[in-house]
Structure formats: structure tokens, C-alpha cells
Amino acid sequence: MKRRDFLKAGTAGLAGAITGSTGMLTWSPRARAATITKTLYITDGFINQIDGTSVYFRGYSNSSGTLDVPGESMIVQEGDTVEITLVNTLATEHNFVIDGMADSGVVGAFSSRTFSFTAGNPGTYMFYDNANGVYNQLLGLHGGFAVMPQNSSNELYPGSRTFVQQQFWLFHDIDPAWNDRLRQGLTPNTAYVPRYFTLNGLGGRPPGAPGNADPNVNSMIDPRSALHGSIGDRTLVRILNAGLAAQSVHVHGNHMEWLTENGQIRPDVWEKDCLYLDGNRGILDMIYPYDVPPDSWPPATHGEYPMHLHSEMSQTAAGGYYLFGAITDIFFE
Amino acid sequence: MKLNTKKRLQRPVYAMGMGGGGGGGMGGACFIYDNNLQANNTLVTPDVVFQRSIDMNIPLTMDDGRTVNMWGFSDGGGGGMGGATFPSAAMRVTQGQIVHSILSVNMMWAHTIHHHGIEPGWESDGVGHLTWDVRGTSFTYQWRPMHAGTYFYHCHTNTVLHAEMGMYGALIVDPPEGPGTLYENGPTYDVEAFWVVDEIDSSWHTLPWSAGTCGADVGLNDLNPDYFVITGVDGSGSSAFGAAAISPVVQVGQKLLARYICAGYHPQRIDFGGLTGTVYMSDGRPLPNPVQATELRAHSAERYDVIFAPTEPGEYIISTDIIHWVSGEVLGTTHAKVTVVA
Ligand SMILES: [Cu+2]
Ligand SMILES: [Cu+2]
């Protein structure tokens, strides 16, 4: 069992305050609520795509000198006080909202603001910027946010099916023509046609491609995205869609236990190999059970399988480049 | 039998990256892993064998008189060409059988078979970049389906193009009771229909098998369908009304099982035309509590198994809207018909 991401900040959890820096702002069960502090720098820049195109983005970054798209995911506990300092390094207005939980108010150009909120119902959320309709979200101002139940390390919500490790799959799609208009302060004036598709900010780099061995480049092996486990290592995956395209999330090797849809607990847990993920902030939770692949003969305990979107246009980049889109690997170890 | 439980992944040597085919050229092929092919060393004596080869020239005539070229799997081996239908010939097996799917491909192109929803060992999963593509040889996939239900098989090489071109067929796993029962100790049915709804962008249907793989912009990010098909028939009008497997006749008192497969890439909404069905399964698994439905939404590769027990004679039009993945606009609609007689 790999608990590395899950318990990274384990002992820090008993302190009164937890400060996220460059590491994942993570979580372990605590007897009492804490105050979580985090500074997010709103920055911009260009990210090179596989075809050489340089695309403009904005992000909630961990320092004023980086561009983090998506923003680093956060896991807190129900009842925690979350204190966010937004440092807006740009000439445009921005904000930070979590539907039903947090709203920074507008942070003006080149200014900053500290605000706090109480972590509400356990579950999976997106933090994003709606200061200019959907545009800032599309430019990259989004990230995953999770609230764990009090005193529980293995449930999505009190009484849910249990897991031993958890991670985020945050999908995005990008129309570079829109990003370029927005960079210039203009409103997009063409139909939205996504041309790049990412998982936690990266696309696939299949064997033989530049960056194939680099987890900072290749979504197939990015530790934020790829699943690693042995039989029984039930893995909660919090699935979010910051893009506008509805996607079909498909895994090989096992069926998924489908727990929630857009913040609602499903009345029954269905076992599915594809899940319908709404565009524009659709959210799902599922557990990948890491059972022996049921149809293997002889029974398999090791192997490497894909997660890919079955809305297959999302598997491309720049109109071709199959396998360079939103895809990762599932390792049975 | 020796179980292969300790086997480690052997990462093959990837010989083919950029180049080879000439990066960007329409004739080139990149990130195709046929050179990695290893013999499947898990094979045991099968209970069932399916032979499949490749047909890249399947004319499909639409209601407007136009012919669109489809690709598919022929029912038979030898790497020969021709003879396939759209969709490809179904595979139908019984839960617990050991099955071999033998894919034969000539030197002209690469393909695989992925049995969607079936979860075999990784070497039998048919995912090109994680194992190998098949080209100029044959390969045997081994699987032992343990859950009855509705699946489909499709190619997983340059998948965005190959599945859109029609390289898929139904895969049905019957429970031990055999056809007529949906899953082990599950509900029974008397009549069976297949609603496999797909959209076609005819501008993709003149592309070569490796289109876009070396980086050429061939528009595979943007599927703009102009034809809408149900189980291989133009569904925009009434052309599917005469096909019994799509538009069945059911007597009052009989139970109709519809196996609905969302085979396209855009979301769909299927409306049962005034009938109420009971959804018993999705994606090859029974629902803990079946649900009543007059319509369903689905996205790419989802399956729903719905049983109807109609009580009123009449004609019921089953319409499925294909909905743009970004705009939500209805792009087209397919139609089937259920005729209920006294
Ligand atoms: Cu193929
Ligand atoms: Cu599939």
C-alpha cells in the first residue's frame, strides 16, 4: 500500500496551523479543527504544447515566479478554518470561489487580500475564478479541493465505502484562440473548439515521445495522476472538469465504484467502466477498487492499464497526436 | 495450471517514435508499437475461439444516397481482406468460458482488439501503447468473462479515428442460464433488441489509418457528425424500422430486452417514446436496485440494459439525440421502433 501522498503531512496535523508551501497541502485525521493557511499568487504566462504552439494561461500559483495550472490541490477537514491570501500579480481583477463555501470577493489589479472560510460538508469541490464569467476558469484559474469528514481517514463522507489512498483527476480542455483573445483583453469571438486536453495540467507523452520518462511532462506517469497500487489498495479518485466539454471517464482493469455526481451522493453505488462527466465544473467521486482484473485468466495481479476519456477527441492534441491528450496509467504493482 | 501471479511488466523496447514515417506526412505512422509484439504466454486451451481480420473498405449507403466508407473486423482469419459488416460481427459467449480472440492483420496497417468492459490480463487488453499494436501477423487475446452483460469490442490503435470509422462489434456475455436471462439469477426476456447509436463525421472517412499520429492537424479534436446511425443503419429517418434486431415486434405479455450502447463520442439522450423500461444493468454489472426510466442520458461507451413489458398495443418510436459535447446542441437523432401487438 502506498500512503505517501495520503499521509505526507501526517504529524503536522496535530499542530494548530498548517501552512502549505511547495508540497501538497495535505491532510491527516485530527481530533479538532485547525486553521489552514495558504497563499496563492495569481500569475500568467505561456505553456508550450506538443506541436510547438505557445498558449497563454493564468494560474493560482505557489509563488509569484511560477505558473501552476491547475492550482495545487488541497485537502482539509470538515470544520477547519481555511485562510487564503490571494496575491494578484496581474492587471486584471480576479477572485477565488468554491460553490456554497467560499468567495473572496474581487481582488483588484496588483493587490492582495486575505480571507477565510469554514470547510463545510465533506466532499469534492473545485476552487475557481468567476470574476469574468467562465473565462478565468478556462484560462487555468482552477484547482481541486477536498473536505474530509472529521476523525476519518478512509471515507469520502461519513458512512461511505472506504479507501486507502486518494487523489484528484482534474480534466481541462483548451481552445488557444480563446486564450489569446483573453490575453489581449478581448472577448472570444469564435465558437469554442477545444484543441488541447489535459489531466492535472498535462497531456500524454507515449513511449518514444519527448518527455515520456519525465513525470513533470507526461500525464501517463505524473504521480498526481497515475494510479499505483496492489490488490486491495482501494483508491478514491476525485474527478473534476474545468473544461467545457462533457467527457466519458473510462478505466481499464477494474470497474469503478461510483459514489457521487456533482456533489450528490448516489442513491446506490453502481459499478461502471465509463462515467459521464459534465462539462464546466462537473464533479464525480469514484473508488478504483484494485481487485484482481475479473476477466483475466490466469488471474492477474500485475499489469499496466490506461485511464482515458472515451470521448476520444480528448485523446488528441492540435488535431492529431493521438495519445497526447488527457490520459494516464493504472499500475498493478 | 501454473498461475502467472509474480509476473512483472516487461517494458518493451520502443523502436518507433517520431520519424520512420516522416513526421507530419499523411503517409507516415508514429507512436505505433507493432515492433513490441510478444507472444501471449498466458494461453491455455480455449472453450471458444473468434477469428477476426481487417476490412478497410465497407461501403455504407445513407438515406441521402451517399456512400460513406467504414472500417471493420471480418469474421474469419488469415489476414485477408473483405467481408466485414458495420458494425462488425458480434461475439457472444457464456460467463466463465475461456475465450480466444485471434486478430490477423496484414502489413498495410496496425490495429488491435480491445474488449471494452472486459478486464483481462494486461497482455490481452489490446491497448497499443501499453503493450503492442498488431501488424503483419496475428495475435491471440485471452479472456474469461465473469460478469454477464452487454459489452462491445473495438480497435485501440489511433482509437479516436479507428473506433469512429466503425471498428467495433457487440460483445454479449450470457449467464449460465443462457440467452433469455440477463444475468445469473437475474430477470428473463423473450425478445432482444440492439440499439447501438453512433455518429459519423464523413470528413474523417477518407483519412489513412495512421492519420495525425505524426502530428499533422487532421481535425481529430473536432467531430462534426453529418450522419447518425443505429446498429449500422442510417437512423435519421425510418430506415431502421424494418430491421428486427433494431425495431422488434413484441406481444403484450412478452418482455423485450434492449441492449443500448452509446457507441459515439458525443453524449446521447435516448427517449423510449412513451414506454417505461426497467434498467437492470449498466456496463456489464447489475444495478443494486433496478430503476424505472422513460429516457436515459449516456456518454461514450456506456451501456444500459433495459427491459420493457409493454401492456398497450401500438408503435413506439425510440429516438436518440446526439448532443454536442460542448454546446449541448442536438446534432442529430436516430430512430427505432417497437411494435407492440395484442
Ligand atoms: Cu484499428
Ligand atoms: Cu472502449
Side-chain angles (χ1 to χ4, degrees), chain A residues 230-246:
Chain A
S230 302
I231 300 302
D233 284 349
R234 297 168 54 81
T235 303
L236 171 69
V237 185
R238 304 175 185 270
I239 302 171
L240 304 103
N241 191 353
L244 293 187

Side-chain angles (χ1 to χ4, degrees), chain A residues 51 173 192-197 206-210 212 220 244-248 250-256 258 261-262 267-279 293-306 308 310-324 327-329 331-333, chain B residues 1-9 11 14 16-18 31 33 42 44 98 114 116-122 125 127 129-130 142-147 152 154 156-160 204 212-223 264-267 282-285 287-289 291 297-304 325-326:
Chain A
D51 63 328
D173 50 67
Y192 184 83
V193 181
R195 189 167 167 81
Y196 303 101
F197 303 89
N212 169 252
M220 294 170 171
L244 293 187
Q247 304 286 3
S248 177
H250 172 53
V251 296
H252 294 209
N254 277 186
H255 277 47
M256 301 171 274
W258 180 22
E261 179 179 36
N262 297 328
D268 285 321
V269 176
W270 293 3
E271 296 175 38
K272 297 275 292 172
D273 59 59
C274 287
L275 292 176
Y276 190 140
L277 177 63
D278 285 312
D295 309 312
S296 60
W297 190 262
T301 55
H302 293 82
E304 187 175 349
Y305 298 90
H308 64 90
H310 217 283
S311 21
E312 289 277 343
M313 300 81 83
S314 64
Q315 301 303 288
T316 67
Y321 279 115
Y322 172 66
L323 294 173
F324 289 72
I327 184 171
T328 194
D329 285 1
F331 296 88
F332 281 66
E333 297 173 332
Chain B
M1 177 174 305
K2 181 172 174 289
L3 297 188
N4 215 357
T5 51
K6 281 291 176 230
K7 181 172 166 188
R8 279 274 153 193
L9 271 184
R11 289 309 298 250
Y14 294 101
M16 187 151 195
M18 302 291 281
F31 308 109
Y33 303 99
T42 68
V44 298
I98 290 177
H114 169 65
H116 182 111
I118 300 291
E119 286 148 354
W122 68 283
D125 201 32
V127 178
H129 74 286
L130 293 181
Q142 176 168 285
W143 42 290
R144 184 190 60 154
M146 293 306 285
H147 297 273
F152 67 130
H154 63 78
H156 221 295
T157 301
N158 201 11
T159 317
V160 58
W204 288 22
T213 57
C214 298
D217 180 356
V218 291
L220 295 178
N221 62 313
D222 189 16
L223 182 74
Y265 296 162
H266 285 295
S282 181
D283 296 358
R285 298 292 186 273
L287 306 188
N289 292 289
V291 295
R297 74 170 197 164
H299 207 333
S300 182
E302 285 190 281
R303 290 90 64 209
Y304 286 96
W325 69 338
V326 171

Side-chain angles (χ1 to χ4, degrees), chain B residues 110-112 155 157 162 167:
Chain B
H111 298 285
T112 70
C155 181
T157 301
H162 290 210
M167 301 194 77

